[in-house]
Amino acid sequence: QLQAVKNMTDTIEQMQMVEMVDNNNSSSARTDTVEQMQMVDNNNSSYLDMNPHTPSLMQSEQVEWFKAHLPPNHLGSILSSILGKNLTHDSVPSSFPPSLHPYWKFLKFLIITYLSMFLSREFAKRFGSTWDRELDMDEFLNHNFWDTLTDVTVIYFVGRLGYRRGVDCANFLIPLFMGACVWEVVGTHPELSKNLSCIKKCWTPLTYVVFIGFMMLVVVLLSFQVYKMNKDELLPGRALEVTLILSLTLAPLIGNEDFHLHHWTWAWLGALVFNLRYSWSFASQGFFVGMYANGIGIWGRDPLIYDR
């Protein structure tokens, strides 16, 4: 009987030891799992910190942030998908050489911009009142082509169009058409076809109203642009970029009494500034590209300093 009691005691002790080992193993496994989850959370937060467009948030707030920034399933998202649909793929067509693939978006932008110059001139002939009748194709190719090619190339790269969807979508083309053609139709009104040089002599109340309204719209868009740049932590770099562009292009000329700021010039600057990833910024950029094409197509790329 004593031997049986001893055997039972030994069995109980062995069972307790096995249970202790199991508890230690499960505790270790739980610890490893918690450590792995913490590593994943740290990696996620590190990614969020490195992403300039994503604020660094606590884990409990990350889900709410992604919910707020996911495209909602309503009319706005449907319109966005329609307006953002390209007429052609952003990848090079199979009939084109594969070497053109990196440049396909750029080629589409070149083609659309130069077509806009042609269309704006045809609009001016049909609906407008004035245009440079001496500007023909030979004159354009000999005196304006290489300068405009430089302008358009700068717009493409500084305007970050290589990082956007192709420009052959309604979100870009409709504002571009408004800037290139509708602007010219509005300018046929006798009280609106005035320039800044005769502001004291020939401007009417309607001229002031339209000009002030347009400038207020530009100021609102610029303010929203600056707000979004600051929110996305892009403001210092973009401000330095604009300062360098102005210092290299306009600053050396402003003091000259023969300096004249053509509308192709400030439209070109507007196309450089509105370069954010948002659809309204993309549309604003299209409008200014259209105004640039309007100025070039109707008057040519006139110099900023008049030659007397």
Side-chain angles (χ1 to χ4, degrees), residues 108-118 152 289 292-293:
K108 287 200 294 185
F109 179 59
L110 281 180
I111 293 171
I112 289 174
T113 304
Y114 280 104
L115 281 177
S116 301
M117 296 178 188
F118 173 78
V152 174
V289 171
Y292 168 81

Side-chain angles (χ1 to χ4, degrees), residues 10-238:
D10 292 341
T11 303
I12 292 172
E13 290 178 353
Q14 290 177 1
M15 292 174 65
Q16 290 176 345
M17 291 178 63
V18 170
E19 186 177 357
M20 291 175 61
V21 171
D22 291 340
N23 291 335
N24 291 334
N25 289 337
S26 60
S27 176
S28 176
R30 285 194 300 269
T31 303
D32 293 341
T33 303
V34 172
E35 290 178 352
Q36 291 174 359
M37 292 175 66
Q38 290 176 347
M39 290 176 64
V40 171
D41 290 339
N42 291 335
N43 290 335
N44 289 338
S45 61
S46 298
Y47 168 77
L48 292 172
D49 291 338
M50 290 185 294
N51 191 345
H53 303 301
T54 309
S56 178
L57 301 174
M58 299 297 292
Q59 182 181 3
S60 61
E61 298 176 339
Q62 290 177 11
V63 175
E64 297 300 327
W65 186 90
F66 282 110
K67 285 182 179 179
H69 288 75
L70 286 175
N73 186 17
H74 54 55
L75 181 61
S77 61
I78 297 175
L79 290 176
S80 178
S81 62
I82 295 175
L83 295 176
K85 187 175 182 180
N86 295 101
L87 299 177
T88 61
H89 292 291
D90 284 338
S91 57
V92 66
S94 57
S95 58
F96 284 66
S99 58
L100 291 179
H101 181 75
Y103 314 105
W104 179 239
K105 284 185 180 180
F106 179 60
L107 289 175
K108 287 200 294 185
F109 179 59
L110 281 180
I111 293 171
I112 289 174
T113 304
Y114 280 104
L115 281 177
S116 301
M117 296 178 188
F118 173 78
L119 288 176
S120 62
R121 185 169 183 82
E122 293 303 312
F123 254 71
K125 291 179 180 180
R126 182 176 295 269
F127 302 105
S129 56
T130 58
W131 67 90
D132 188 353
R133 301 176 185 274
E134 297 180 358
L135 181 66
D136 54 14
M137 184 59 68
D138 291 337
E139 178 75 13
F140 177 80
L141 293 176
N142 292 330
H143 296 92
N144 296 151
F145 177 74
W146 292 109
D147 290 334
T148 55
L149 181 61
T150 303
D151 293 341
V152 174
T153 303
V154 172
I155 292 175
Y156 181 81
F157 287 103
V158 179
R160 273 78 173 176
L161 288 173
Y163 299 98
R164 313 283 178 259
R165 64 172 65 252
V167 296
D168 54 333
C169 61
N171 192 22
F172 191 89
L173 291 178
I174 293 176
L176 182 141
F177 175 78
M178 293 177 63
C181 301
V182 177
W183 181 269
E184 185 62 28
V185 175
V186 174
T188 58
H189 194 285
E191 296 187 32
L192 300 180
S193 58
K194 312 293 183 183
N195 54 42
L196 290 173
S197 60
C198 66
I199 185 172
K200 295 182 179 180
K201 299 179 180 179
C202 58
W203 277 35
T204 65
L206 180 60
T207 310
Y208 281 102
V209 169
V210 173
F211 177 77
I212 293 174
F214 177 75
M215 293 306 299
M216 288 178 62
L217 177 61
V218 172
V219 169
V220 169
L221 288 174
L222 280 175
S223 301
F224 199 51
Q225 180 89 354
V226 172
Y227 168 75
K228 285 295 187 179
M229 286 180 180
N230 184 59
K231 187 176 180 180
D232 292 345
E233 299 180 359
L234 299 172
L235 185 58
R238 300 296 172 88

